Amino acid sequence: MGANSSEGTVGSESGLAQDAFSPKWEDDDRPRIPRVAGEREALAAYLDHYRATVEMKCRGLTAEQARARSMPPSTMSLHGLVRHLAGCERWWFQQNFERREVPFLFFADDEPDLDFEIPADADFGADLETWRAECAVSREIVAAHDLDDTARPLDWYEDVDLRWLMLRMITEYAQHCGHADLLREGVDGRTGV
């Protein structure tokens, strides 16, 4: 039996011994992903874990730090990632899956990159709140549908089900959480999974 196998103890997310994995973020308050769960619960848990990771990586930053493009030659910033993910939440869940008539976030025909190309007057705190609100709406949409419910995304040639959409968003967040790790380390040297 391993070091984490004693009754009543909670092991690391990796299941490895404390000295065998990356350092943990000091104030990590993300929800734990259940080890045994139904499909819906597992998908929602992974997606919310990644959302909480973005929240955690942005915690304690000044607006200037959040805007920093700390990993040249990349032009990404944590502020830009938050804006991008807010737009992704709205695009996939509201505009595509439920076909709601809501305006785009951080996009205009003449300025399509307003997520990563942050205007000088953009407010990091306000953009974080926008992202949080979009996540809340997405959760409501997920709760209102079965995983087998389908929709035809805009400009697509085939239907997708909610299961596919949740997996698509997990993939989006997983990719960008890796970016967030590097960007935060570049801003203030803080690391941890």
Side-chain angles (χ1 to χ4, degrees), residues 65-72 74-77 116-118 183:
Q65 288 173 315
R67 190 181 282 265
R69 294 174 169 181
S70 63
M71 286 289 152
S74 172
T75 59
M76 283 190 192
S77 67
F116 290 115
E117 296 296 327
I118 306 164
L183 291 167

Side-chain angles (χ1 to χ4, degrees), residues 93-106:
F93 288 103
Q94 292 185 62
Q95 293 173 315
N96 280 293
F97 195 76
E98 283 208 336
R99 291 296 182 105
R100 293 184 184 180
E101 294 291 329
V102 292
F104 285 100
L105 290 173
F106 314 121

Side-chain angles (χ1 to χ4, degrees), residues 102-125:
V102 292
F104 285 100
L105 290 173
F106 314 121
F107 174 88
D109 288 336
D110 58 338
E111 294 179 285
D113 298 319
L114 287 173
D115 48 2
F116 290 115
E117 296 296 327
I118 306 164
D121 62 348
D123 181 282
F124 180 56

Side-chain angles (χ1 to χ4, degrees), residues 1-12 15-21:
M1 298 192 81
N4 293 326
S5 64
S6 61
E7 194 171 319
T9 61
V10 176
S12 70
L16 300 173
Q18 286 296 95
D19 61 352
F21 63 97

Side-chain angles (χ1 to χ4, degrees), residues 2-193:
N4 293 326
S5 64
S6 61
E7 194 171 319
T9 61
V10 176
S12 70
E13 282 295 320
S14 69
L16 300 173
Q18 286 296 95
D19 61 352
F21 63 97
S22 299
K24 190 173 180 183
W25 196 264
E26 290 173 21
D27 54 346
D28 184 353
D29 58 355
R30 293 172 293 177
R32 189 169 188 268
I33 299 168
R35 298 301 185 262
V36 178
E39 183 180 18
R40 174 183 285 276
E41 182 185 6
L43 291 170
Y46 267 93
L47 186 50
D48 277 337
H49 183 81
Y50 283 125
R51 287 169 175 150
T53 299
V54 171
E55 182 86 38
M56 186 177 75
K57 294 293 179 170
C58 290
R59 190 177 300 142
L61 293 177
T62 66
E64 182 177 304
Q65 288 173 315
R67 190 181 282 265
R69 294 174 169 181
S70 63
M71 286 289 152
S74 172
T75 59
M76 283 190 192
S77 67
L78 286 162
H79 190 167
L81 279 179
V82 166
R83 290 167 65 94
H84 174 72
L85 290 168
C88 287
E89 293 274 357
R90 178 172 284 197
W91 168 251
W92 282 110
F93 288 103
Q94 292 185 62
Q95 293 173 315
N96 280 293
F97 195 76
E98 283 208 336
R99 291 296 182 105
R100 293 184 184 180
E101 294 291 329
V102 292
F104 285 100
L105 290 173
F106 314 121
F107 174 88
D109 288 336
D110 58 338
E111 294 179 285
D113 298 319
L114 287 173
D115 48 2
F116 290 115
E117 296 296 327
I118 306 164
D121 62 348
D123 181 282
F124 180 56
D127 289 342
L128 268 173
E129 286 303 317
T130 298
W131 168 70
R132 290 178 187 129
E134 293 301 317
C135 291
V137 172
S138 297
R139 286 184 194 100
E140 291 170 4
I141 291 170
V142 167
H145 290 277
D146 292 329
L147 292 177
D148 291 327
D149 287 354
T150 61
R152 173 80 45 105
L154 299 167
D155 300 327
W156 274 44
Y157 58 91
E158 62 185 337
D159 290 347
V160 300
D161 62 20
L162 181 60
R163 176 184 299 101
W164 179 93
L165 175 51
M166 292 182 75
L167 287 166
R168 170 69 181 82
M169 289 300 291
I170 289 167
T171 302
E172 183 81 21
Y173 272 93
Q175 174 186 6
H176 290 311
C177 282
H179 297 142
D181 285 343
L182 291 172
L183 291 167
R184 182 61 189 254
E185 183 177 4
V187 166
D188 63 4
R190 192 164 182 197
T191 61
V193 295

